[in-house]
Amino acid sequence: MEEVFYQSSSEPQEVISSYPGPQVELPNAKAVMILGIVSIPVCCCFYGVLSLICAIVALVLANSATRLYIATPEKYLESSYSNLKTGKICAYIGIALSILAVILFISLIVMFGFATLSDPQLLQEHLLELVGQ
């Protein structure tokens, strides 16, 4: 394990790492952020399944990158870890919205039937009946 040294001064202490070499970005941090962000607006497309896939892939990539960061935090940039956390939060939001979209589409199929959802004219008639016009 690498040693960590602290500067002595009256100002807040800055960690000086004994890690040789420049800090690098976490692998897949940008991909996690992009997939997490994409999973939010895509939740209404393809019955929410595409959003769910993007969000799950983002979480899997985020968990592996988080393990790397926890093992050697001095090796990676703090900004890339921040991007990773942002992507993870967006992925959780995308999963929640996807689940809501799937529940909505299933309830519409149960209420109106798949044939009604496939035919816009028939769907309009059923909606007018439901409203009472």
Side-chain angles (χ1 to χ4, degrees), residues 64-120:
S64 64
T66 302
R67 277 189 234 114
L68 285 174
Y69 184 80
I70 290 172
T72 54
E74 64 276 353
K75 184 177 178 181
Y76 301 104
L77 293 170
E78 184 66 32
S79 62
S80 67
Y81 186 64
S82 177
N83 289 345
L84 187 74
K85 290 190 294 187
T86 302
K88 211 172 184 179
I89 291 168
C90 289
Y92 283 127
I93 293 170
I95 285 176
L97 292 175
S98 298
I99 290 172
L100 289 175
V102 167
I103 290 170
L104 173 71
F105 288 124
I106 289 173
S107 65
L108 286 174
I109 290 172
V110 168
M111 280 177 58
F112 298 114
F114 192 73
T116 304
L117 293 177
S118 300
D119 185 12

Side-chain angles (χ1 to χ4, degrees), residues 5-59:
F5 301 99
Y6 295 95
Q7 291 179 342
S8 59
S9 70
S10 60
E11 296 178 10
Q13 295 184 348
E14 180 182 331
V15 177
I16 300 175
S17 172
S18 62
Y19 175 75
Q23 290 183 321
V24 294
E25 286 194 19
L26 276 166
N28 298 324
K30 286 182 183 177
V32 168
M33 192 169 70
I34 290 169
L35 286 170
I37 291 171
V38 164
S39 71
I40 294 173
V42 176
C43 70
C44 297
C45 303
F46 303 109
Y47 307 106
V49 176
L50 183 62
S51 173
L52 197 59
I53 291 170
C54 287
I56 290 172
V57 169
L59 287 177

